[in-house]
Amino acid sequence: MIPDPIAGILEEAANYAGLDISTATPLRTGTHAIFELDGGIIARIGKPGSADTARRELRISRWLNHSGIPAVQAVETLPQPVVVDNHSVTWWQLIPDHRPATPAELGTALARLHTLTPPAIFDLPEYQPFAGLEDRITTATTLNDDDRQWLTQHYTALRQRFEKIPLATRASVIHGDAWQGNLVVPRSDTPTFLDLDKVSLGRPEWDLVQLAVDHTDFTRIDTDDYEAFVTAYGGYDMTATPEFRIYADIQELRWTAFAISLSHHKPAAHAEAAHRIACLRGHIPQPWQWNVL
């Protein structure tokens, strides 16, 4: 069952592209709604106002593949993107029979990505770690006053701490949401990047911190796998750096703010947001257990 109004957006976009959605299968709902269609086509529906981001994502896919970094490929024979009610719809080639990458495979892929020369034919945006955070906190209708005040103070303190980190000597091409599920391995054994909308120029640490906190704060990655990730990346261990906790706290606030943004229409997200806030506030000891949304 495709939820409204997504069904209407998908139907109109598919009609324009000449596609049949009678057997469309929902794969994910979140920042994007993703569906599998007949013929090995993946439909990706963006949030309102995402047309420019979708166009950039299509360019990034072509550029990465041309540069020798395997990434999900668009269906070039279809109109890209199709914009319906201010939502962008893009069409991608299905990657069948794939699995999430191992931490070591992710470390190897990120090491290659981070040495890539930025594209000359278009500009990548600068990664903005605080983008949207303050607005999600101040406009949330599901937060009580105490949590909102604490989150606002926490956000302000993190910005001040981050601004004290020395400027990076160079900006790297980063994925922006690097975890094992966004690097998949099909039967060809070629690790392939997915979800390219956050590819940008920024500090490599933003691509390393997710696995680092998965190891330190959540124990979702054991010591052997984390050490394999560090070794594959080239030996750089974020958890051993003085700045690690700053990156970690910002990343965990971003994950919490995402849950808050969904909580006004998803009861499970409301409960999850409350749990994550309690963790950040120190009411629940580590290792934490956070549910995927």
Side-chain angles (χ1 to χ4, degrees):
M1 179 71 68
I2 302 176
D4 291 330
I6 296 299
I9 294 171
L10 180 59
E11 182 177 10
E12 185 171 339
N15 287 340
Y16 181 80
L19 297 172
D20 177 17
I21 64 165
S22 61
T23 60
T25 303
L27 300 181
R28 189 197 314 172
T29 57
T31 304
H32 295 81
I34 301 176
F35 301 87
E36 181 179 343
L37 311 184
D38 284 342
I41 295 173
I42 298 296
R44 198 164 189 258
I45 302 175
K47 60 185 179 182
S50 59
D52 287 344
T53 299
R55 294 185 186 98
R56 185 175 67 245
E57 188 174 5
L58 292 163
R59 289 194 293 267
I60 288 170
S61 170
R62 299 183 191 106
W63 168 69
L64 286 176
N65 283 292
H66 180 75
S67 302
I69 304 291
V72 60
Q73 297 185 41
V75 181
E76 299 291 355
T77 57
L78 296 176
Q80 300 270 16
V82 178
V83 180
V84 178
D85 293 339
N86 204 28
H87 291 263
S88 62
V89 183
T90 49
W91 318 104
W92 301 88
Q93 296 179 20
L94 174 69
I95 303 175
D97 301 325
H98 63 262
R99 59 170 174 81
T102 65
E105 289 167 334
L106 181 59
T108 298
L110 290 177
R112 292 184 61 203
L113 179 67
H114 293 169
T115 59
L116 201 60
T117 300
I121 56 175
F122 65 94
D123 293 328
L124 289 176
E126 181 181 349
Y127 184 73
Q128 302 291 338
F130 294 97
L133 284 181
E134 186 175 23
D135 183 64
R136 285 180 169 180
I137 294 168
T138 57
T139 63
T141 59
T142 56
L143 291 176
N144 61 49
D145 290 341
D146 184 53
D147 280 343
R148 192 191 312 277
Q149 182 179 16
W150 186 90
L151 287 168
T152 300
Q153 292 172 346
H154 185 56
Y155 164 83
T156 301
L158 287 180
R159 291 209 69 142
Q160 293 171 348
R161 289 168 58 198
F162 183 71
E163 289 168 1
K164 294 179 181 178
I165 298 178
L167 294 175
T169 55
R170 62 179 290 269
S172 299
V173 176
I174 65 173
H175 181 273
D177 190 16
W179 65 291
Q180 302 95 304
N182 276 342
L183 182 74
V184 299
V185 184
R187 285 189 290 182
S188 66
D189 285 332
T190 301
T192 303
F193 280 110
L194 305 180
D195 288 1
L196 308 177
D197 54 295
K198 292 184 177 64
V199 171
S200 50
L201 295 178
R203 299 171 184 259
E205 285 87 351
W206 293 120
D207 277 350
L208 306 178
V209 69
Q210 294 201 39
L211 264 71
V213 297
D214 274 351
H215 173 58
T216 60
D217 296 1
F218 297 88
T219 64
R220 290 187 288 228
I221 296 179
D222 63 25
T223 298
D224 288 344
D225 276 341
Y226 182 69
E227 289 180 351
F229 171 73
V230 170
T231 299
Y233 185 73
Y236 181 73
D237 180 3
M238 269 204 76
T239 68
T241 67
E243 299 86 9
F244 166 63
R245 199 64 249 169
I246 302 174
Y247 287 97
D249 290 348
I250 295 170
Q251 182 61 58
E252 289 165 353
L253 179 59
R254 289 179 61 85
W255 284 336
T256 301
F258 175 69
I260 292 170
S261 72
L262 299 179
S263 61
H264 69 282
H265 66 278
K266 290 187 176 181
H270 187 185
E272 181 64 21
H275 173 71
R276 294 182 184 189
I277 293 168
C279 291
L280 296 188
R281 297 191 66 172
H283 302 327
I284 298 174
Q286 294 178 353
W288 296 329
Q289 298 293 324
W290 291 8
N291 295 316
V292 176
L293 295 171

